Amino acid sequence: MPSPTKPKLTYSYVAFQQEQQQNPFPGTQLQADLAELTRAAGDTIDALADVRRSDGKLQNQSVTPDSLALATLALITGEGATGPTGPTGPAGAGATGPTGLTGATGPSGLAGAVGATGATGPAGANGTNGSNGAVGATGPTGVTGLTGATGPTGATGPSSTVATRTAMKALTPSAGASVYLTEGARAGVFWAVNASIPFSDPSEGVYVASNTSGWYWERRVYKLHPGMFGGNFDVTVDSGTAINAMFTFAKLTYSAAAGGFLFAASTDGRWYKSTVSIDATGIQQPGFNILNFRVAGYCTGKTLLDCAGGNVLSGSDIHLTGDATNTPQCLLYLGRDKVAGVVRAAPSNTFQKVTLNGYASKASLIQFASEVSDLSGFYIDNKSKNANSYCYVNAGHWGTIDTYLGGMTSDYATLPAATDSSQSNILHKIDMPTLMRNVPWTLAVTGVTKANPAVVSVNAAGLVSSGLANGDKVFIHDFAGMTELNPGTTNATAVYTVANINTGAGTFELSGINSTAYTTFTSGNVRPQMGPCMLLNGCAAFSWDNGYGLSYGNPSVVLDMNNGIAMRDVSLGWQHEPKGRAPIRVDQPATAVQTVLQGLELDLLGQFQTFTTCIIDSNTALGNTRIDNLKLNVRYMTTVPSSSIVGSPAKFVLNAFDIRVPLTAAMQDFTATGSWADGLAQKGVFVAGDSSVVTVFGTDYEYRNNSIPAQAVYSDDGSANDGPYYDLKRNSATPANGDGLGVVRYLGNNASVSAVAYAQTRARALLVAAGGEAGRLEFLTISGGVTGISGYAQGTLINAAGSFTVASTQVVGPRATGWTAGTGTALKGAFAAYAGQTHTGSYVQATVQALDNAARDASQRVKAIEDALRTHGLIN
């Protein structure tokens, strides 16, 4: 019978139940669907009976030769069945011969019929039915959505395969024809095209010319990989030539119509090895992409990925490594080149998710005046033992490259020189980077002698494998016992020169270190001194956000102020673990000149920060640096650095600053007498997190408000204690009698709109001897354009320069002089004014006596008044 067909139901009973409950039940439709199910089940049973017996085995003669594969038929022999046995002949007269061979066994007879099925046994008793649960309410059926559009038809697979490009060339192409090339890493689908090859491709990575004139085979991809150009997936095999062929081809494919390049350079996430520098130079058109790219660099002294002269380059998911033995000078160069003696611009570069690992003798990433860049998600770990090697260098003057890196070269481009002066280096943002100058080895110290010089003992095998040599620099920071060798006041940098290595004994000397009087060593490690993480020069605006910096024996960041133009707006926010003297060092000119850093913001994150000596360090050159608008925020500090904020106060001038640290003791730079030179503390505020003290320097802070107090100082103390306090302190190291202590001026404009101090209060230290101090508060006003002292308070004395008035009427004026002191008795007691009396014509003794008494009392009262005026100093 023919194959059974699947049943097709024609009606939705759920929809009827939910949407048509008022209509008659669709019995006709139900009956039709049940009949369809019955038919399909019957057809299936019938079809099964055609090939299956009731015992489960195949029906006899159901497998015929035409249903077997040819290979199966070949395994079956062609011998027919054994014929019937002939009649027995008469016995011979001779002796009985030997028994003959046993004949072949005849075929088995047919199987007997299957016996009848026995009677079905009695059914067991049914168990008790459980109670039915309550039926939940049926929710409404949602509206049936529209049928989605049919997706595009997938590309037609290749019509054939070829093993080599030679075989592919020999094919006869036709419109729409495709072929799959199976040639190693070059494998892929190619399509026949009736035209001329659009871009030169001698390595036949994308275009392969057909032997048929006017035709070529095209690989239709967007991302290229070196395998297409003959590279090898085996990272032990050099694929540098193939990688360069890929870049050479991709650089040809710029399309003005598309506004970019038709192909992106990639490795499709596979690792390739290169013993040569990769040429990505001179890409001036915008829109070149490097994606999902991984190369292990073995190009000694070369730049692994050289993007000199690149304009609007972009990259994502890039991994480059440098070999420890065949070490590149740089893993990635982004910056300018020179053509015909002219330095070309490199306006913009955008890279994300970049890992630069392993070894680079100069720097893992070098940007030279690439003008504008946006770098995010960078992980750079340079393990080079060269203490002058960096993770990241960003410079605007080639003198920085020469001075700090010893210069660099390119196999494909002419690089700028120091004589080209500063180049535009405008805006750079590197977001969430990890920059580490991690150590290639760590040796556990087993002992240090108290001797001159100190001798360090380590594991002998470890000493040999480290490659440590005489003259190398090592760094110590975690000693327990003999802590004098850690960074601090005894040995500020804790960087030591190795001498007299004895690999057999596992020992070496710390040259010039006399540890005789040091404490006893107990435990610790020694590591090679590593270079800084970052070197910056000539940036107009640079931002490093939410980063991590690690360096052993050097600062995380070095700012070169000696080459080119001044830097501006440098913002660095990172978790700092330099394990050394300071997180940042400002390198100043060799001559006694002042450079200017216009805007520096340091946000030091995290709790594992160690500030041994200071936060901002300097080199030992003669110049100094003025830092305008310094914003320093130290979020965590366990101990105060020995030199506080800056290592050499005389090397810096801080102009308008905001410094916030967790510990008040870190203010020592700003409060210790005589700490500063060159007017260091000019206009700024200092906030310590462990106290309520805010220290303000300079005079340029303005508080403006027209309706409420511009500045208010409060105390929430509910007791009778004094407060709040407002302190003005003259922090003089050589106080003297008569020193001024501070002035509060009250300014206003005159008719010429010029600011004038109309009134002032001034404090003065009259006597400074300990235990005998005396002070005076003076009141000054301007009159007739001349400022003078109107009065002062001193001890219990208040002195007025003129007179006292009430309601503009003088009540007390200057002392009236020329008075001769009266003599006799003064009357201060009860005094009644003389009322006078009538005199008669004749002498009356009582009347005259009364008049005499009144004159006496009046003169004595005048004497008392004179004494009082003289006592108060009004007359003399």
Side-chain angles (χ1 to χ4, degrees):
M1 66 172 293
S3 298
T5 59
K6 296 179 180 180
K8 295 182 180 180
L9 303 184
T10 61
Y11 195 81
S12 172
Y13 305 99
V14 173
F16 170 83
Q17 180 179 346
Q18 295 179 349
E19 300 178 12
Q20 304 180 27
Q21 296 182 13
Q22 305 304 318
N23 296 330
F25 186 79
T28 303
Q29 291 87 344
L30 176 60
Q31 187 66 31
D33 283 347
L34 290 175
E36 174 67 6
L37 291 173
T38 302
R39 180 205 59 75
D43 287 351
T44 302
I45 294 171
D46 292 343
L48 183 61
D50 285 348
V51 296
R52 180 183 179 276
R53 299 194 312 223
S54 59
D55 60 357
K57 297 180 181 179
L58 292 174
Q59 289 284 9
N60 293 340
Q61 286 136 18
S62 62
V63 178
T64 58
D66 62 340
S67 64
L68 296 177
L70 295 177
T72 303
L73 286 173
L75 298 175
I76 301 175
T77 63
E79 295 181 359
T82 303
T85 302
T88 303
T96 303
T99 303
L101 296 176
T102 304
T105 304
S108 300
L110 297 174
V114 178
T117 302
T120 302
N126 293 328
T128 304
N129 292 331
S131 58
N132 294 327
V135 178
T138 302
T141 299
V143 178
T144 302
L146 299 174
T147 302
T150 303
T153 303
T156 304
S159 56
S160 63
T161 62
V162 290
T164 65
R165 284 163 291 146
T166 300
M168 183 167 63
K169 294 175 183 180
L171 296 176
T172 301
S174 60
S178 63
V179 62
Y180 186 82
L181 177 67
T182 62
E183 186 180 350
R186 292 178 178 269
V189 178
F190 286 76
W191 298 81
V193 179
N194 186 9
S196 299
I197 292 178
F199 303 107
S200 174
D201 184 10
S203 296
E204 299 181 331
V206 176
Y207 303 123
V208 178
S210 172
N211 293 343
T212 302
S213 178
W215 288 82
Y216 67 90
W217 295 94
E218 176 185 29
R219 189 194 302 266
R220 294 178 179 174
V221 294
Y222 165 63
K223 287 192 304 180
L224 308 175
H225 65 75
M228 300 175 181
F229 297 83
N232 198 308
F233 293 152
D234 185 350
V235 78
T236 64
V237 178
D238 182 26
S239 293
T241 300
I243 299 173
N244 274 327
M246 175 182 70
F247 273 92
T248 299
F249 172 78
K251 289 192 290 184
L252 298 174
T253 65
Y254 177 74
S255 167
F261 289 80
L262 301 181
F263 297 92
S266 175
T267 66
D268 266 355
R270 293 178 179 267
W271 280 96
Y272 290 84
K273 174 182 178 179
S274 179
T275 60
V276 298
S277 177
I278 298 169
D279 182 8
T281 63
I283 304 174
Q284 285 287 295
Q285 301 96 333
F288 191 90
N289 290 320
I290 304 173
L291 307 173
N292 204 10
F293 189 77
R294 286 152 176 72
V295 177
Y298 291 76
C299 49
T300 305
K302 309 289 186 180
T303 295
L304 179 56
L305 181 55
D306 189 347
C307 299
N311 173 15
V312 198
L313 301 178
S314 65
S316 178
D317 193 14
I318 296 173
H319 294 244
L320 304 175
T321 65
D323 182 61
T325 302
N326 305 287
T327 306
Q329 65 174 353
C330 172
L331 299 183
L332 174 60
Y333 175 74
L334 301 172
R336 301 179 185 239
D337 64 358
K338 290 176 69 173
V339 175
V342 177
V343 178
R344 296 197 297 180
S348 177
N349 293 297
T350 302
F351 283 78
Q352 62 181 346
K353 295 172 60 178
V354 175
T355 297
L356 307 176
N357 207 348
Y359 297 78
S361 61
K362 296 183 184 294
S364 299
L365 168 61
I366 298 176
Q367 279 188 284
F368 177 70
S370 55
E371 200 145 3
V372 177
S373 66
D374 185 358
L375 313 178
S376 63
F378 269 59
Y379 177 92
I380 304 177
D381 185 3
N382 185 0
K383 296 183 176 66
S384 171
K385 292 189 293 183
N386 181 4
N388 295 316
S389 178
Y390 298 79
C391 290
Y392 174 48
V393 174
N394 188 310
H397 193 287
W398 198 264
T400 298
I401 306 295
D402 289 342
T403 302
Y404 289 84
L405 306 182
M408 65 177 296
T409 60
S410 170
D411 285 353
Y412 312 107
T414 300
L415 298 179
T419 54
D420 293 316
S421 302
S422 294
Q423 303 295 319
S424 177
N425 197 29
I426 300 175
L427 176 62
H428 301 280
K429 182 176 184 295
I430 179 167
D431 188 31
M432 299 185 69
T434 295
L435 305 181
M436 295 195 299
R437 289 293 280 115
N438 224 333
V439 292
W441 52 262
T442 298
L443 294 177
V445 177
T446 57
V448 182
T449 63
K450 293 184 177 183
N452 186 13
V455 178
V456 178
S457 295
V458 297
N459 177 270
L463 179 59
V464 172
S465 64
S466 72
L468 189 65
N470 290 327
D472 285 354
K473 304 288 186 180
V474 293
F475 174 65
I476 294 171
H477 75 94
D478 60 359
F479 271 16
M482 202 170 282
T483 55
E484 296 87 348
L485 292 176
N486 290 333
T489 55
T490 305
N491 296 289
T493 64
V495 175
Y496 306 98
T497 302
V498 173
N500 293 325
I501 292 179
N502 186 332
T503 55
T507 63
F508 58 86
E509 295 177 358
L510 301 180
S511 180
I513 300 300
N514 184 355
S515 61
T516 304
Y518 290 0
T519 54
T520 302
F521 171 82
T522 56
S523 64
N525 300 282
V526 64
R527 298 172 173 87
Q529 181 196 20
M530 304 300 287
C533 298
M534 181 188 298
L535 172 62
L536 296 180
N537 161 263
C539 297
F542 183 89
S543 174
W544 180 20
D545 293 334
N546 301 316
Y548 174 85
L550 171 68
S551 178
Y552 290 88
N554 259 310
S556 291
V557 179
V558 175
L559 304 182
D560 173 26
M561 303 296 296
N562 194 33
N563 290 285
I565 62 175
M567 281 192 284
R568 301 191 301 272
D569 296 329
V570 176
S571 176
L572 308 173
W574 82 102
Q575 161 72 25
H576 150 75
E577 292 188 47
K579 309 295 186 187
R581 180 179 168 88
I584 185 169
R585 188 182 78 220
V586 179
D587 285 357
Q588 297 155 340
T591 57
V593 297
Q594 184 178 92
T595 57
V596 179
L597 177 53
Q598 299 173 346
L600 175 62
E601 182 174 354
L602 304 177
D603 191 3
L604 301 173
L605 314 168
Q607 63 177 349
F608 300 108
Q609 300 174 123
T610 303
F611 306 100
T612 304
T613 304
C614 56
I615 296 175
I616 303 175
D617 204 0
S618 62
N619 62 352
T620 58
L622 296 176
N624 65 22
T625 297
R626 189 186 86 210
I627 303 177
D628 294 341
N629 299 311
L630 169 65
K631 293 183 180 180
L632 171 61
N633 185 15
V634 181
R635 297 174 183 260
Y636 191 86
M637 178 185 288
T638 55
T639 57
V640 175
S642 60
S643 295
S644 189
I645 302 301
V646 298
S648 300
K651 303 295 291 297
F652 292 95
V653 174
L654 305 186
N655 182 35
F657 57 87
D658 184 340
I659 297 176
R660 300 169 187 266
V661 297
L663 301 178
T664 303
M667 292 173 59
Q668 60 184 310
D669 277 354
F670 293 84
T671 58
T673 301
S675 289
W676 301 117
D678 304 310
L680 174 82
Q682 298 178 171
K683 298 168 293 204
V685 60
F686 195 110
V687 181
D690 62 344
S691 73
S692 58
V693 175
V694 177
T695 305
V696 179
F697 297 84
T699 59
D700 287 354
Y701 281 88
E702 297 182 359
Y703 303 88
R704 301 190 180 195
N705 197 297
N706 295 327
S707 58
I708 62 174
Q711 187 182 58
V713 181
Y714 296 95
S715 172
D716 295 325
D717 189 348
S719 70
N721 295 331
D722 293 335
Y725 292 90
Y726 204 98
D727 289 346
L728 299 178
K729 181 181 179 181
R730 175 76 173 271
N731 192 27
S732 173
T734 56
N737 293 344
D739 280 355
L741 301 179
V743 178
V744 177
R745 300 186 300 165
Y746 302 89
L747 305 179
N749 289 340
N750 61 14
S752 299
V753 197
S754 298
V756 173
Y758 285 91
Q760 305 175 47
T761 56
R762 181 173 65 195
R764 191 175 299 282
L766 296 180
L767 301 173
V768 296
E773 299 91 340
R776 184 165 73 191
L777 181 63
E778 301 171 347
F779 301 90
L780 295 84
T781 58
I782 190 170
S783 179
V786 179
T787 299
I789 297 176
S790 300
Y792 61 82
Q794 176 180 326
T796 59
L797 172 67
I798 297 179
N799 181 65
S803 60
F804 290 97
T805 64
V806 175
S808 299
T809 300
Q810 178 178 313
V811 294
V812 177
R815 173 183 288 182
T817 60
W819 287 69
T820 300
T823 60
T825 303
L827 176 61
K828 294 183 179 180
F831 175 78
Y834 179 56
Q837 57 183 313
T838 302
H839 292 273
T840 61
S842 58
Y843 170 77
V844 180
Q845 191 274 338
T847 301
V848 174
Q849 185 63 51
L851 183 61
D852 182 81
N853 290 344
R856 179 199 65 200
D857 291 347
S859 66
Q860 290 179 347
R861 198 63 168 188
V862 170
K863 174 65 167 60
I865 293 172
E866 178 187 337
D867 289 348
L869 293 175
R870 197 177 303 282
T871 299
H872 285 286
L874 297 177
I875 61 173
N876 203 350

